[in-house]
Amino acid sequence: MSFWYFDKDELLQTASAQEGLSNELEYRYRQEGARFIIDAGTKMDLGYNTMATGVVYFHRFYMYHSFKTFPRYLTACCCLFLAGKVEETPKKCRDIIRIAKILLPANKYATLGIDPKEEVMVLERILLQTIKFDLQVDHPYKFLLKYAKCLKGDKSKLTKMVQMAWTFVNDSLCTTLCLQWEPEIIAVSLIYLACKLSKFELDDWHGRTSVHLRWWDMFIQGMNMNLLEDICHQVLDLYSSPIGKSALLSSPPPQGELVIPKKITPPQSVYQKLLIQKVAFKYNLTPEQAMQSRWPIFE
């Protein structure tokens, strides 16, 4: 089994970086590729697992290949095509190309080449070799739902918190967190973030013992606050990025019991709240002052 986790120094020394592409531009290309996979997958009525798997393939591919060599939208089409087959939700290559033509402006669609279908088929072989035929990918979604079932508290507040955490998992696809940490760790971190922002007091949980100082000790041993906060800040930083704001993914709030959403459609109020809180914290303002101020991240 291949090892797909990298430290932050390694993430700054990718194939693109070695060819002179700035880290900021590479991060932007990663966000744009992830956003395209989600947009195309949503239009094709693909499930969240298929889209997430495609995004993970995309991020892994560009650890070893440069954006200067392989156009991001062609690679994104290829990743979605392969993910559909792996997750048993296959779509024909020509249908993915057709959606790409609808979603992309002419200059970006042109990067798919004269014969996009043939380009995707050729690139698929390179993609498979790059990811070492390691096709099965676990995502934080299943761990989020598993852990949530163990938590105690007011049912409506718990549901709201879990939905917010689910939104954060969706949005984390536009970051490189899937290249840094296991899905279990991401799930715990984003539950923690959702608890903080939804003001859900998580004081008790099923299976609690005297050795559990915090709720996440039952799921992951040795999880520290520095790691938790680093992951949370990487997701929150996405909301202050002009590209990140347009690439955010979400799900409609579940009604009653926890519902696994199939599609990803954004409620903007959640993001606005996060942005206000982030600005207030960063500049030592009250939420009201942050709301009234003009900051670049709101542009």
Side-chain angles (χ1 to χ4, degrees):
M1 185 65 68
S2 302
F3 187 76
W4 289 112
Y5 301 106
F6 307 87
D7 61 35
K8 290 186 177 180
D9 287 337
E10 290 174 311
L11 289 172
L12 296 176
Q13 298 297 323
T14 61
S16 296
Q18 292 174 28
E19 289 196 2
L21 197 71
S22 71
N23 297 129
E24 292 76 13
L25 192 54
E26 178 176 355
Y27 189 56
R28 172 188 153 192
Y29 286 171
R30 285 182 180 275
Q31 287 183 348
E32 289 177 347
R35 177 189 176 185
F36 172 80
I37 290 171
I38 296 297
D39 287 347
T42 300
K43 275 192 170 292
M44 302 184 79
D45 202 29
L46 292 172
Y48 61 90
N49 266 332
T50 300
M51 292 182 277
T53 295
V55 172
V56 172
Y57 290 165
F58 182 85
H59 285 307
R60 290 178 178 179
F61 180 84
Y62 282 111
M63 288 303 298
Y64 298 102
H65 295 286
S66 172
F67 282 101
K68 289 187 174 183
T69 305
F70 294 94
R72 58 194 180 281
Y73 294 110
L74 176 64
T75 304
C77 288
C78 185
C79 290
L80 187 59
F81 179 58
L82 179 60
K85 291 189 282 187
V86 171
E87 298 292 344
E88 299 183 353
T89 56
K91 295 295 181 182
K92 294 180 179 178
C93 184
R94 66 168 179 265
D95 291 333
I96 295 176
I97 299 302
R98 177 178 56 83
I99 294 297
K101 192 169 186 178
I102 294 172
L103 292 176
L104 298 174
N107 63 323
K108 292 181 178 179
Y109 179 77
T111 64
L112 272 60
I114 297 174
D115 187 350
K117 181 180 176 181
E118 181 63 25
E119 295 281 356
V120 169
M121 294 301 183
V122 172
L123 184 56
E124 184 183 25
R125 293 193 286 273
I126 300 173
L127 173 62
L128 285 166
Q129 291 170 355
T130 302
I131 63 176
K132 302 175 177 63
F133 292 85
D134 188 3
L135 301 175
Q136 299 302 318
V137 181
D138 283 331
H139 301 295
Y141 299 110
K142 72 175 184 180
F143 298 103
L144 168 59
L145 294 176
K146 175 184 175 182
Y147 301 160
K149 291 178 181 177
C150 298
L151 305 179
K152 293 182 179 180
D154 179 86
K155 186 175 180 180
S156 62
K157 291 181 179 179
L158 176 60
T159 299
K160 178 182 176 182
M161 182 278 292
V162 173
Q163 178 58 63
M164 184 178 286
W166 184 281
T167 298
F168 291 143
V169 171
N170 287 334
D171 296 346
S172 73
L173 294 173
C174 289
T175 73
T176 56
L177 279 173
C178 67
L179 297 177
Q180 298 175 53
W181 299 107
E182 293 84 352
E184 300 95 320
I185 292 176
I186 296 173
V188 162
S189 301
L190 298 183
I191 290 174
Y192 170 80
L193 178 59
C195 285
K196 290 295 183 183
L197 292 177
S198 66
K199 295 182 172 56
F200 179 77
E201 297 294 334
L202 215 173
D203 299 321
D204 200 9
W205 53 93
H206 298 286
R208 183 176 186 176
T209 69
S210 59
V211 300
H212 297 149
L213 300 179
R214 299 183 176 94
W215 63 267
W216 57 78
D217 292 335
M218 190 170 72
F219 309 118
I220 300 176
Q221 294 182 349
M223 188 80 168
N224 62 65
M225 291 301 298
N226 288 336
L227 173 55
L228 272 173
E229 292 180 355
D230 178 65
I231 291 173
C232 293
H233 279 294
Q234 287 190 56
V235 173
L236 287 176
D237 285 343
L238 183 65
Y239 302 125
S240 63
S241 162
I243 296 171
K245 283 193 292 183
S246 64
L248 297 178
L249 322 170
S250 184
S251 307
Q255 302 297 324
E257 296 193 17
L258 295 178
V259 175
I260 302 177
K262 294 183 178 179
K263 292 189 178 181
I264 298 175
T265 53
Q268 296 298 328
S269 59
V270 173
Y271 310 133
Q272 188 72 2
K273 177 181 178 182
L274 289 172
L275 289 171
I276 291 168
Q277 292 181 356
K278 187 172 176 62
V279 167
F281 176 79
K282 184 174 183 180
Y283 296 100
N284 195 26
L285 302 172
T286 66
E288 291 75 19
Q289 289 172 325
M291 187 75 170
Q292 295 169 1
S293 301
R294 296 287 296 177
W295 298 98
I297 63 171
F298 291 116
E299 300 299 328

